[in-house]
Amino acid sequence: MTKAPTLDDVARYAGVSRTLVSTALRGKGRVAASTRLRILAACKAVGYRPNLTARSLASGRSSVLGVLLADVLNTFFAAVADAVSRHADQAGLTTLIATGQHTEAGERHAVEQLTAQRPQGVVLLGPTMAEEGLLPLLGATPTVSISRVLGGVSRGAIALDEEAGVRLVVEHLAGLGHRSITHIDGGSGVSADERRTAFLARTRAAGVQPQIFPGSFDISGGYRAARALLAAGRLPTAIWAANDRAAAGVLLALREAGVRVPGDVSVMGYDDVTMRAGTELHLTSVRQPIDAMGQLAVERILAPDATDVGTVRLEPSLVVRGSTGPAPTPVS
Amino acid sequence: MTKAPTLDDVARYAGVSRTLVSTALRGKGRVAASTRLRILAACKAVGYRPNLTARSLASGRSSVLGVLLADVLNTFFAAVADAVSRHADQAGLTTLIATGQHTEAGERHAVEQLTAQRPQGVVLLGPTMAEEGLLPLLGATPTVSISRVLGGVSRGAIALDEEAGVRLVVEHLAGLGHRSITHIDGGSGVSADERRTAFLARTRAAGVQPQIFPGSFDISGGYRAARALLAAGRLPTAIWAANDRAAAGVLLALREAGVRVPGDVSVMGYDDVTMRAGTELHLTSVRQPIDAMGQLAVERILAPDATDVGTVRLEPSLVVRGSTGPAPTPVS
DNA sequence: GTGAAAGCGCTAACAG
DNA sequence: CTGTTAGCGCTTTCAC
């Protein structure tokens, strides 16, 4: 295997021209059945593997869909990437993922590598870089941005409707009679901000007393925050954690302290995807439309024209399980 | 932006030959400083982006490192992919990840796409396909297999030393005086099997009473198993869960039932990477050498020759935190 | 049906 | 230092 066999090798072996092998292999123009068989046999005999690089250089296109991921460990984006990949597969595209590691240099590098594939399109999953830096790199590549709203991106942006999600949380809890809700937030990220802001606005609108406690998007953040709440003696009747992982931490701390859920305190999570903890922990939560995001992204990339591609915010849905219940009547 | 500018466009604009632009851009042969400046200016003016596809076709190599990942959502493999990516970056390579979605067709497709890049090498992260199917696709591409031991792969295999990890668990617990340990297993996967088997062997060697309870690699598996243990009234003094996520579920169930950790029961986790729950939950665990795996993989790919590349099993290390303690003295 | 010729955008020897 | 000449492996016209 000192040198990969080329089309010419196959052609020579089969006693035909290179062009014929090419067309036969791609099944485009008509080739005599007997010749095709001979060619196929030759391919196998020679051990031919098409060089997709050359193919894409010659044809000017490829069946690749590029995905720019901040980092494989972010479960949310990884789940979206997975959804994109599944839908791309179904459309006959191969997904190639590059990670930017949250740095501008890394993302630049990744996008360059991705666009170099002359891909059918690129999906940006929560890029770090500013739009001005990204757009020139993308050039004419059909691009959709997920989660971050990039106005100039050719095929528009797909975002989550955080306000709708937060509304589901507040209305569910308020509907159960809770007059005071504590939000354990997700720290300083963009979505943590959005959720916090929406929470404040929504509770006000619902006439519910809001309280914000600093936390993070992981189990330890929820655990720590709940313990702090416990220590401060400021336990509300309802807690909404920034996501399901944090909510698991809250449950842990609460149960450790002998607090009953949902008897004494109702707990809600939000949006987690990998852990699927919700089911077994009976966590009431808000489910994000991950699959729909992936599907829409691929559809937009594949759409022949770029009409109707503004920013769309997909709506999440409420999943009621056992961790929330009626607010306990004050003993007073 | 109807057509991407090429080297020729830049050359014409700068009034030099295409070759000169090429060499200037790559910084190889010497180019007059003044000319280089002119060329750089021309690039910017024309908006030139190098076509890496053409470059790799012409030069016969690329700076890509391919990674075949079963699925982005598997936190362990995703973490390894991340480590590989970081070390590859440091070596000046771009990592391109393709997922096989656990199907043979998917993996075949992914590997084809990866090898088509003429990458510096390919890292296989727990492939599903049989070795016989994989090897011909890889051809002469330097390849290392992580986690699954593929004998025929050119740059060898890197695996985890599960036995060593399990030994750490059993010895730690036995050293604390526990005479009986319950393992909540990870179900039917390969590593779940390895751990279970090693556990049985090791406990026997240590003179400890083993007990196995069916579970899974997630929080719900641990939660469910611990509740079953509780219900059956067969609570041991020490529980070892298949991984940290499962251990979190165990903690949850135990605390919910008013069992003290580590006062009544010691709990150990294993190998989790993303959640980093260990820290805040004070979970005693076994840490896998994720980063070392990534580093070694890249080193092997970059090594000029393929000597010394048999299978290596990297050793994990014990991380003692607060969830384990001396076995309680029987009240009897 | 089949094949010859002309590139895709770039790099790799060589000459000047 | 700079430019010329050949391709890399494949797809595309467009003749035969």
Side-chain angles (χ1 to χ4, degrees), chain B residues 292-312:
Chain B
M293 296 182 99
Q295 178 167 24
L296 184 55
V298 174
E299 275 173 10
R300 284 192 173 191
I301 297 266
L302 256 30
D305 42 36
T307 56
D308 216 26
V309 292
T311 296
V312 67

Side-chain angles (χ1 to χ4, degrees), chain B residues 33-257:
Chain B
S34 61
T35 325
R36 150 168 300 125
L37 247 50
R38 198 147 37 90
I39 290 177
L40 257 34
C43 284
K44 187 159 272 178
V46 185
Y48 173 71
R49 326 244 66 250
N51 181 328
L52 306 211
T53 302
R55 174 177 298 182
S56 101
L57 178 59
S59 69
R61 58 200 138 66
S62 76
S63 60
V64 168
L65 176 65
V67 170
L68 174 68
L69 192 57
D71 128 35
V72 209
L73 296 180
N74 180 314
T75 52
F76 179 75
F77 284 132
V80 180
D82 196 65
V84 168
S85 173
R86 283 197 315 275
H87 287 284
D89 260 19
Q90 231 167 301
L93 300 183
T94 315
T95 304
L96 246 30
I97 302 172
T99 61
Q101 305 291 2
H102 304 276
T103 68
E104 179 156 342
E107 289 194 349
R108 172 180 296 279
H109 204 159
V111 173
E112 275 173 1
Q113 213 56 242
L114 252 21
T115 53
Q117 313 289 329
R118 292 165 170 278
Q120 294 280 99
V122 166
V123 176
L124 267 21
L125 293 182
T128 296
M129 275 180 79
E131 189 167 350
E132 300 75 50
L134 234 26
L135 291 184
L137 293 179
L138 290 163
T141 315
T143 305
V144 6
S145 164
I146 288 190
S147 172
R148 252 190 68 198
V149 177
L150 264 35
V153 148
S154 60
R155 295 301 169 94
I158 302 174
L160 295 169
D161 193 337
E162 300 280 16
E163 289 187 18
V166 173
R167 188 176 62 234
L168 291 174
V169 170
V170 174
E171 287 182 352
H172 173 64
L173 259 14
L176 287 168
H178 296 275
R179 310 313 306 156
S180 161
I181 306 174
T182 295
H183 171 43
I184 293 177
D185 76 10
S188 58
V190 179
S191 57
D193 285 345
E194 283 190 27
R195 289 173 195 182
R196 195 168 34 229
T197 308
F199 176 71
L200 254 16
R202 204 66 220 172
T203 44
R204 188 157 309 146
V208 167
Q209 179 69 30
Q211 189 188 182
I212 305 247
F213 233 76
S216 68
F217 281 123
D218 51 33
I219 197 168
S220 60
Y223 182 76
R224 205 173 349 171
R227 285 185 60 105
L229 229 32
L230 249 8
R234 296 172 60 194
L235 215 56
T237 65
I239 295 177
W240 167 48
N243 69 0
D244 284 7
R245 285 217 301 273
V250 172
L251 288 181
L252 202 51
L254 253 30
R255 288 179 170 161
E256 193 176 332

